[in-house]
């Protein structure tokens, strides 16, 4: 059990006041929040957990003595198979495939078996027991590059060259480097004369398609025939001098490699100089013998890249690349360009160019309503809903305001209504749950891992189990996860199974009293940091992003150090960020810092929490005079735009769940929406000659 947070936390003073006066060091105690145990804390297993941990530790050191002493006592414990697997691993020199088969028969093909099989295959590889490896792999395949390559080597060493060459050819055809265990297989394959020139050249172009230039240079050594060498020579020339593609004879010399070369060269030049790259492609597309599908592929990529640039008017180029509005995502960005200029007639013309399905999306229903209602000569009223003069616009907004999403909530704000939650709990039959638990042993092991705070193992168990579940069984996982206090998984599974209306699964309220205390100390409303946490980690205390952000509120270590220093919060190392109490204190303080940094603008602060302050400052400088809803819609990064919309929406939902007023925006924020912002707040776009930078 994680120790309860000390009562001295009540004395914490964070936020603006902490920067103006000396404060005692915060979090003097070793403060942790209690884990949400739910039904995962089975009292019958509680005395067995310390025994399990001590035996596991001994086995990991290679000592089986304690396991032999305690195994009869632990056999009824759900995690016992992991101990038995570790015991077998320690005795690999003294066991055979029969012992592995016996384990599989007894415990099934769950995660303990998968982990044991990985170790067994690695052992057989180290011992070069090729026949045993081949037998073990076929009994319980582990299709990773390492083990697949090793299977080819096993075929080679057991006099099955045809199978080895077939495996080598399959593994060869990739645009990136293979696992090092493939090296000996590829060497033997080449030595046997099985690497044909078409295969050698095919892999070169796969590397080019992946923009893996260094690897492509290495692969070019395998291409020895004259036609292949000429195609590669033409590629390098075009890479160095893009307009070389326009020369007579270049396309013929490239032959089947024309598409790969053209895509690579055009994309590379556009990234260096958008205007020149666009000019090159518009010239090439008239002369190169590419089919419509090939041309459309480049048209789409280039049009989308240009359309996303809100600082430069590429309307004429876009009209050439996509004259018939066949690329929906490009059309959506053309609408955003029109929004950034507040060109409402153009918005009205462009939205009907979207496919019918996209037109019905709440996003474009909202902007259709605003475009219809927006009239620069109209008298602006104090309350937005009084300004809606067009009945079609009013009808659209009225319909939208019934929806539970960002645009529905915006429509509700405009109409001065509370947001609609439209919640409905999922009906669960207890008999189905009991039947599910009896069918799969993993449902005994998962809550035990959670009780031990071992989220990685719990997630690995579920990942291994999920493909075996039926369509009827999968939604039950969300309900079980909620009972276990595993909020992350209840949220994820509810989304995977489209349980959109069950807000008890999708919007849990863990640590709500603690969030309230810390938010109040920072002069923030509770629902805002709660919504940030819901978006950042879905309440996963051990979450870590690929960039290194950690914990509930996904703080980078450098940000945590800076926030701790500014707010006089005790912080020792990045390991502290996996402590929920410290993470919430630091994350909420950082949010308060951002709010102050952006003059109390909650929307800018939310964007900065995701994209960083410097980037948001640039966006504010470029488009800060736009109405608030247009500014959000024209955030250049899809991730950040969705992030801001989600956080605002989640905050409104949490407000309602906490019996607070159901508004997404404050009165001041509502007054900054497009329908009440002065019409003269329009921005001009630079001509293509003035700037080539693409955000």
């Amino acid at each position: 059990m994680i120790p309860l947070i000390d009562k001295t936390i009540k004395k914490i003073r964070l936020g603006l006041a902490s920067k103006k006066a000396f404060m005692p060091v915060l979090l003097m105690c070793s403060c942790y929040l209690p884990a949400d145990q739910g039904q995962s804390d089975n009292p019958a297993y509680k005395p067995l957990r310390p025994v399990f941990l001590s035996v596991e530790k001994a086995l990991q050191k290679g000592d089986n003595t304690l396991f032999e002493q305690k195994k009869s006592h632990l056999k009824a414990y759900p995690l016992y198979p992991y101990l038995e697997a570790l015991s077998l691993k320690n005795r690999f020199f003294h066991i055979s495939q029969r012992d592995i088969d016996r384990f599989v028969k007894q415990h099934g093909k769950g995660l303990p078996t998968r982990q044991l099989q990985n170790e067994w295959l690695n052992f057989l590889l180290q011992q070069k027991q090729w026949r045993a490896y081949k037998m073990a792999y076929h009994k319980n395949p582990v299709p990773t590059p390492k083990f697949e390559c090793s299977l080819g080597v096993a075929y080679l060493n057991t006099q099955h060259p045809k199978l080895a060459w077939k495996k080598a050819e399959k593994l060869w055809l990739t645009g990136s480097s293979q696992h090092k265990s493939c090296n000996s297989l590829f060497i033997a394959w080449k030595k046997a004369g099985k690497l044909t020139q078409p295969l050698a050249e095919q892999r070169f172009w796969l590397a080019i398609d992946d923009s893996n230039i260094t690897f492509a240079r290495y692969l070019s050594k395998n291409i020895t025939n004259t036609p292949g060498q000429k195609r590669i020579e033409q590629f390098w020339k075009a890479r160095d001098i893009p307009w070389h593609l326009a020369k007579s004879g270049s396309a013929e010399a490239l032959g089947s490699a024309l598409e790969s070369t053209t895509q690579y060269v055009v994309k590379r030049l556009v990234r260096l100089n958008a205007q020149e790259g666009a000019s090159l492609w518009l010239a090439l597309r008239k002369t190169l013998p590419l089919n419509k599908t090939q041309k459309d592929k480049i048209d789409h990529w280039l049009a989308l890249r240009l359309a996303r640039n809100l600082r430069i008017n590429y309307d004429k180029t876009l009209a050439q690349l996509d004259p018939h509005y066949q690329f929906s995502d490009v059309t959506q960005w053309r609408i955003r360009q029109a929004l950034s200029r507040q060109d409402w007639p153009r918005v009205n013309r462009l939205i009907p160019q979207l496919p019918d399905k996209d037109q019905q999306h709440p996003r474009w229903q909202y902007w259709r309503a605003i475009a219809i209602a927006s009239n620069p000569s109209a008298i602006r009223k104090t309350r937005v809903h009084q300004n809606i003069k067009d009945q079609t616009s009013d009808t659209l907004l009225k319909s939208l305001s019934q929806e539970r999403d960002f645009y529905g909530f915006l429509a509700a704000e405009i109409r001065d209504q509370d947001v609609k939650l439209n919640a409905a709990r999922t009906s669960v039959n207890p008999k189905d749950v009991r039947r599910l638990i009896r069918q799969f042993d993993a449902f005994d092991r998962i809550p035990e891992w959670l009780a031990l705070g071992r989220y990685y193992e719990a997630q690995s168990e579920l990942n291994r189990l999920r493909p075996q579940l039926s369509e009827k069984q999968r939604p039950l996982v969300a309900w079980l996860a909620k009972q276990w206090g595993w909020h992350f998984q209840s949220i994820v599974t509810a989304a995977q199974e489209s349980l959109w209306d069950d807000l008890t699964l999708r919007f849990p309220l863990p640590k709500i009293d603690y969030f309230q205390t810390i938010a109040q100390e920072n002069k923030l409303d509770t629902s805002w940091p709660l919504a940030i946490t819901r978006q950042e980690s879905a309440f996963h205390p051990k979450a870590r992003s690929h960039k290194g952000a950690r914990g509930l509120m996904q703080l980078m270590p450098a940000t945590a150090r800076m926030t701790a220093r500014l707010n006089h919060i005790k912080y020792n190392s990045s390991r502290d960020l996996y402590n929920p109490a410290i993470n919430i204190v630091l994350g909420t303080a950082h949010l308060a810092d951002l709010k102050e940094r952006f003059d109390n603008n909650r929307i800018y602060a939310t964007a900065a929490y995701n994209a960083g302050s410097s980037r948001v400052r640039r966006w504010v400088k470029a488009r800060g005079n736009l109405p608030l809803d247009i500014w959000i819609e024209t955030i250049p990064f899809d991730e950040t735009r969705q992030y801001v919309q989600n956080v605002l929406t989640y905050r409104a939902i949490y407000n309602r769940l906490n019996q607070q007023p159901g508004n997404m925006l404050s009165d001041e924020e509502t007054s900054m929406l497009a329908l009440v912002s002065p019409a003269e707040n329009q921005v001009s776009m630079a001509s293509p000659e003035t700037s080539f930078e693409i955000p």
Side-chain angles (χ1 to χ4, degrees):
M1 175 68 73
I2 302 174
L4 285 171
I5 188 160
D6 194 279
K7 291 182 180 179
T8 55
I9 197 70
K10 298 296 183 182
K11 299 179 181 178
I12 293 176
R13 293 293 180 267
L14 300 174
L16 305 182
S18 67
K19 301 168 190 175
K20 298 176 181 177
F22 173 79
M23 290 178 50
V25 175
L26 301 179
L27 297 176
M28 294 298 292
C29 58
S30 177
C31 298
Y32 290 83
L33 287 174
D36 291 325
Q37 297 293 341
Q39 293 183 8
S40 67
D41 196 6
N42 189 324
Y45 296 145
K46 194 170 183 179
L48 297 177
R49 289 171 193 153
V51 182
F52 166 81
L53 292 173
S54 60
V55 172
E56 181 189 42
K57 187 175 181 180
L59 286 169
Q60 288 170 343
K61 292 179 179 179
D63 184 356
N64 281 26
T65 306
L66 190 59
F67 171 73
E68 294 298 329
Q69 294 172 358
K70 301 290 184 180
K71 67 180 182 181
S72 59
H73 184 55
L74 287 167
K75 276 191 175 180
Y77 186 57
L79 302 183
Y80 174 79
Y82 285 92
L83 299 180
E84 188 176 344
L86 283 171
S87 172
L88 285 171
K89 177 189 172 185
N90 290 341
R91 296 188 294 114
F92 276 165
F93 281 104
H94 309 289
I95 67 172
S96 67
Q97 185 64 42
R98 289 195 193 93
D99 298 287
I100 303 297
D101 293 344
R102 194 178 300 115
F103 182 92
V104 174
K105 184 177 180 180
Q106 183 177 354
H107 299 295
K109 292 191 176 183
L111 187 62
T113 297
R114 174 63 178 265
Q115 292 180 349
L116 178 63
Q117 177 71 349
N118 284 357
E119 296 291 348
W120 180 236
L121 290 176
N122 278 322
F123 171 77
L124 295 175
L125 286 177
Q126 290 168 4
Q127 301 303 310
K128 297 185 178 181
Q129 297 183 28
W130 300 115
R131 291 187 186 280
Y133 177 87
K134 191 172 61 174
M135 180 192 301
Y137 185 92
H138 285 305
K139 285 198 170 192
N140 193 2
V142 184
T144 64
K146 175 184 177 179
F147 291 133
E148 285 277 291
C149 289
S150 298
L151 181 61
V153 176
Y155 285 141
L156 194 60
N157 283 282
T158 54
Q159 287 73 53
H160 290 92
K162 288 185 179 180
L163 292 175
W165 306 151
K166 185 177 179 180
K167 178 65 68 176
E169 182 175 330
K170 179 182 176 182
L171 293 165
W172 174 260
L173 292 175
T174 176
S176 56
S177 182
Q178 271 288 16
H179 191 274
K180 63 182 180 180
S181 59
C182 274
N183 292 347
S184 61
L185 176 64
F186 286 155
I187 290 171
W189 181 58
K190 292 177 185 178
K191 194 173 181 180
K194 300 300 179 179
L195 175 57
T196 64
Q197 285 301 292
L199 284 172
E201 194 174 348
Q202 188 176 352
R203 193 176 189 193
F204 173 87
W205 293 111
L206 286 172
I208 295 300
D209 290 342
D210 287 351
S211 297
N212 199 340
I213 293 299
T214 302
F215 189 53
R217 289 188 190 278
Y218 168 77
L219 291 171
S220 65
K221 299 174 184 177
N222 295 309
I223 300 169
T224 56
N225 68 338
T226 302
Q229 289 176 334
K230 285 185 176 180
R231 281 189 286 271
I232 291 173
E233 182 183 354
Q234 288 295 315
F235 169 80
W236 295 122
K237 284 183 179 179
R239 182 178 184 270
D240 294 336
I241 307 172
W243 285 93
H244 176 77
L245 278 173
K247 286 186 177 181
S248 176
S250 292
E252 291 76 10
L254 281 164
S256 60
L258 178 62
E259 181 186 7
S260 292
T261 301
T262 305
Q263 279 194 56
Y264 177 87
V265 169
V266 170
K267 289 181 179 181
R268 183 169 184 263
L269 182 57
V270 167
R271 291 186 179 106
L272 295 172
N273 187 318
Q275 186 64 30
E276 187 176 346
S279 299
L280 172 66
W281 171 239
L282 289 173
L284 291 176
R285 72 202 290 266
K286 297 175 184 177
T287 59
L288 291 183
L290 296 170
N291 61 40
K292 184 179 184 303
T293 301
Q294 293 169 332
K295 289 181 179 179
D296 282 351
K297 193 173 181 179
I298 301 176
D299 281 345
H300 185 195
W301 180 89
L302 178 55
L304 184 59
R305 187 170 180 89
L306 298 181
R308 292 174 71 96
N309 188 335
L310 298 176
R311 292 196 295 274
I312 303 175
N313 190 334
Y314 283 115
D315 285 350
K316 291 182 180 179
T317 304
L318 291 172
Q320 292 177 274
L321 293 169
D322 187 20
H324 304 298
Y325 302 97
Q326 63 174 320
F327 309 127
S328 176
D329 51 355
V330 174
T331 305
Q332 292 180 40
W333 274 100
R334 291 164 89 167
I335 297 170
R336 290 190 179 99
Q337 285 195 350
L339 285 171
S340 71
R341 288 173 266 173
Q342 298 182 69
D343 184 347
W344 300 112
R346 183 167 174 77
V347 172
N348 268 320
R349 289 196 302 272
L350 286 172
I351 290 177
Q353 302 300 330
L354 292 168
D356 290 343
K357 182 180 178 181
D358 290 341
Q359 286 187 49
Q360 298 308 312
H361 189 281
R363 181 191 309 275
W364 304 118
Q365 289 283 294
Y366 174 81
W367 288 115
R368 177 76 165 167
I370 303 305
I372 291 171
S374 294
N375 184 343
S377 62
I379 299 174
R380 303 290 171 174
K381 304 290 184 179
T382 303
R383 294 305 301 171
V384 185
H385 67 282
Q386 295 174 340
N387 188 48
I388 301 173
K389 296 190 174 184
D390 190 291
Q391 184 58 41
T392 304
S393 173
D394 192 26
T395 302
L396 286 170
L397 290 172
K398 183 178 180 181
S399 175
L400 266 179
S401 67
Q402 305 304 305
E403 299 297 323
R404 187 190 60 244
D405 78 344
F406 175 73
Y407 296 96
F409 287 4
L410 274 182
E413 295 287 348
I414 289 173
R415 294 180 57 80
D416 199 19
Q417 301 172 187
D418 279 347
V419 300
K420 302 290 186 182
L421 293 189
N422 305 324
R425 291 200 176 197
T426 304
S427 177
V428 175
N429 187 334
K431 290 183 180 179
D432 291 336
V433 176
R434 289 194 293 271
R435 194 178 299 117
L436 179 67
I437 293 173
R438 285 197 302 269
Q439 184 177 350
F440 298 101
D441 292 344
F443 285 117
D444 288 327
R445 295 193 293 267
I446 289 171
E448 269 308 292
W449 285 126
L450 294 173
L452 293 170
R454 304 268 285 268
Y455 293 93
Y456 175 81
E457 286 87 347
Q459 187 65 59
S460 297
E461 283 273 13
L462 186 57
N463 291 346
R464 181 76 173 168
L465 172 67
R466 198 185 297 275
Q468 304 173 54
L469 301 179
S470 69
E471 186 177 350
K472 183 180 178 181
Q473 290 172 328
R474 288 195 302 269
L476 298 178
V477 174
W479 187 86
L480 275 172
K482 182 178 184 298
Q483 304 310 304
W484 295 331
W486 195 9
H487 304 299
F488 168 80
Q489 196 53 240
S490 68
I491 291 168
V492 169
T493 304
Q496 290 172 336
E497 301 305 319
S498 301
L499 305 175
W500 304 117
D501 295 333
D502 194 332
L503 302 191
T504 61
L505 296 175
R506 296 186 59 219
F507 293 94
L509 290 163
K511 322 288 189 289
I512 184 61
D513 293 340
Y514 189 71
F515 271 105
Q516 287 173 343
T517 299
I518 301 303
Q520 288 169 7
E521 296 291 347
N522 282 277
K523 297 183 173 62
L524 303 178
D525 66 271
T526 303
S527 295
W528 189 17
L530 202 60
I532 291 281
T533 306
R534 168 64 172 78
Q535 172 64 26
E536 286 285 352
S537 70
F539 300 103
H540 192 329
K542 303 291 186 182
R544 178 169 179 170
S545 75
H546 66 281
K547 292 183 179 179
R550 293 163 166 85
L552 286 174
M553 297 187 74
Q554 286 291 277
L555 289 163
M556 295 293 288
T559 302
R561 283 195 300 272
M562 178 186 69
T563 303
R565 186 173 63 252
L566 288 174
N567 294 276
H568 308 289
I569 300 171
K570 184 179 179 182
Y571 174 74
N572 296 317
S573 70
S574 59
R575 193 175 301 174
D576 288 350
L577 296 177
Y578 295 119
N579 176 335
I582 296 176
N583 193 287
I584 294 170
V585 168
L586 287 169
T588 307
H590 177 49
L591 196 58
D593 290 343
L594 290 172
K595 185 183 179 188
E596 181 183 17
R597 200 173 301 166
F598 286 96
D599 299 324
N600 293 319
N601 187 305
R602 191 162 46 87
I603 282 72
Y604 295 164
T606 300
Y609 199 100
N610 174 259
S613 296
S614 298
R615 193 172 281 122
V616 173
R617 281 198 197 95
R618 291 199 299 272
W619 297 343
V620 171
K621 183 178 180 181
R623 293 183 295 281
N625 58 338
L626 286 172
L628 197 59
D629 46 355
I630 296 180
W631 188 88
I632 294 171
E633 190 64 55
T634 56
I635 290 175
F637 293 171
D638 294 336
E639 177 192 325
T640 303
R641 185 186 329 107
Q642 191 63 57
Y643 181 96
V644 171
Q645 293 178 353
N646 284 355
V647 168
L648 292 175
T649 305
Y650 296 168
R651 175 183 171 273
I653 291 172
Y654 275 122
N655 274 339
R656 287 292 305 276
L657 294 177
N658 286 321
Q659 310 302 316
Q660 300 295 319
N663 299 96
M664 184 169 71
L665 303 176
S666 67
D667 288 343
E668 181 182 1
E669 290 165 345
T670 301
S671 71
M672 297 167 67
L673 298 177
L675 278 179
V676 290
S677 297
E680 58 269 20
N681 279 355
Q682 298 184 17
V683 293
S684 61
M685 298 181 74
S687 67
E689 290 75 27
T690 59
S691 172
F692 298 121
E693 184 182 357
I694 294 180

